Amino acid sequence: MKRFFLTSRYRGFGRKDRRIEIPKLHLTLGNREFATYDWSLGGFRIDDFAGRPPVGEKISVRQIAYDAERAETTDSVAVVTRVLIGKNQVAFSFNRLDDIAYNFLEKASMHRLTQLAKG
């Protein structure tokens, strides 16, 4: 029997936390604001990231929110894990989450589960 290793789009990810697309989160990374493509307690992916940051680069997460009225200031750090060339997307994993960001993401996850249960 032949053994082979699947790569790119055919290989699944060993993700511990399921990423969620809706509701989108709004993050301030460094001095720039972004909306997430998808997210989880483990990380997030953003669209429309100009340039290609190197994998392993650490970026400060200064704010996290659903919208401007519910923004939380945070002192967290995310690390670039993948750059999706052609889609202009960058995937990040959280390197350090402070209590504020962790609690926010946990509540957001529970809110999403409530929405799915109703639907």
Side-chain angles (χ1 to χ4, degrees):
M1 174 184 234
K2 267 189 170 179
R3 291 183 178 220
F4 56 92
F5 185 75
L6 296 175
T7 61
S8 72
R9 69 179 178 169
Y10 300 108
R11 183 177 67 168
F13 293 101
R15 206 174 298 292
K16 185 174 92 172
D17 298 306
R18 195 182 73 156
R19 285 200 174 159
I20 301 168
E21 293 181 18
I22 297 173
K24 293 193 182 300
L25 295 179
H26 299 274
L27 303 169
T28 302
L29 306 177
N31 295 322
R32 297 174 58 198
E33 293 181 23
F34 295 95
T36 58
Y37 179 78
D38 60 10
W39 60 273
S40 74
L41 280 168
F44 56 93
R45 188 166 36 144
I46 57 174
D47 262 339
D48 201 26
F49 193 91
R52 293 190 184 140
V55 170
E57 180 179 325
K58 292 182 180 181
I59 296 180
S60 172
V61 180
R62 296 181 35 218
Q63 278 194 331
I64 187 167
Y66 285 125
D67 51 44
E69 291 83 39
R70 292 190 277 178
E72 295 281 349
T73 300
T74 180
D75 183 25
S76 299
V77 176
V79 177
V80 176
T81 56
R82 282 182 301 150
V83 176
L84 290 88
I85 299 170
K87 290 186 175 183
N88 207 27
Q89 295 176 350
V90 179
F92 294 84
S93 66
F94 288 113
N95 180 272
R96 184 185 78 229
L97 277 177
D98 65 4
D99 289 339
I100 293 169
Y102 180 82
N103 291 334
F104 184 93
L105 291 171
E106 190 173 51
K107 286 178 187 174
S109 295
M110 295 306 290
H111 176 72
R112 174 64 175 150
L113 290 175
T114 302
Q115 287 179 334
L116 288 173
K118 289 179 184 177

